[in-house]
Amino acid sequence: AGAETVKRAVELDLASRFQESLVCYQEGIDLLLQAVKGTGRGGGGGHRERGGCAAVNKAVCGDIFSLDGKYHKQIRIEENATGYSYEKLFQEYLTEIVSEVWVEDPYVRHLYNFLRFCEMLVKGPCKVKTIHLLTSYDEGIGRNQQTSGLEEIKQSLRNYGVTLNVAFSSSIHDREIRFNNGWMIKIGRGLDYFKKPQGRFSIGYCDFDLRPCQETTVDVFHTKHTKKM
């Protein structure tokens, strides 16, 4: 299984599907290491197995990760650009093993955007069971609307077997989204990088791929399994 997964990773790498190939490389190496541990209990053959697998691990990881041991990709979204829906940004990182998501954003005010993000997680192919949201309170009259809206989203997610945990902080400033498969995405404007639609019946109101964006930068990192063995 490990060899087949690494083979698939090479195919994805050659096809320039680098994010998917990275995940396959890591999963394949993990499977190979598990097999080595299982065969290393007998005799001297286990030592040779371990040496070979370490060489494979070093060769693969050495080419994928940057010098600081982390994968990093940056995407610049220009002013008024279209084609940057949540699905386009996040879908390739939402593998089937994703079950937990963390969203840290001090300014979750447009709850419809956060709802669309949750809908994407519910549709899969990931199997999300828990979403953690850390944000700040909306000051003034919008606070009641914010808390009641988040409570409504929480109740709706429950119908799909997903738990939404909401916490508030007055000191957070950074914006980042993390998946428990190791991917971390930082968007300069958080989830609210879309411009307001011109009207409820204008193009882009429902389809976020057609919604113009505000200029922002998206940084993608992978931090899991990056230590050299």
Side-chain angles (χ1 to χ4, degrees), residues 7-18 21 25:
K7 180 180 177 181
R8 174 60 176 160
V10 173
E11 293 172 352
L12 291 169
D13 206 350
L14 293 174
S16 297
R17 295 165 63 179
F18 301 120
S21 68
Y25 275 129

Side-chain angles (χ1 to χ4, degrees), residues 134-154:
L134 178 63
T135 187
S136 63
Y137 278 116
D138 189 358
E139 297 181 359
I141 60 175
R143 180 166 175 170
N144 289 336
Q145 184 178 357
Q146 178 192 28
T147 53
S148 63
L150 287 172
E151 183 61 31
E152 189 173 345
I153 294 175
K154 181 186 296 187

Side-chain angles (χ1 to χ4, degrees), residues 29 32-58 229:
I29 290 169
L32 289 172
L33 290 176
Q34 291 173 19
V36 165
K37 290 178 182 178
T39 57
R41 296 175 182 175
H47 178 73
R48 291 192 297 272
E49 293 269 0
R50 279 193 296 273
C53 193
V56 171
N57 185 59
K58 182 178 180 181
M229 298 183 182

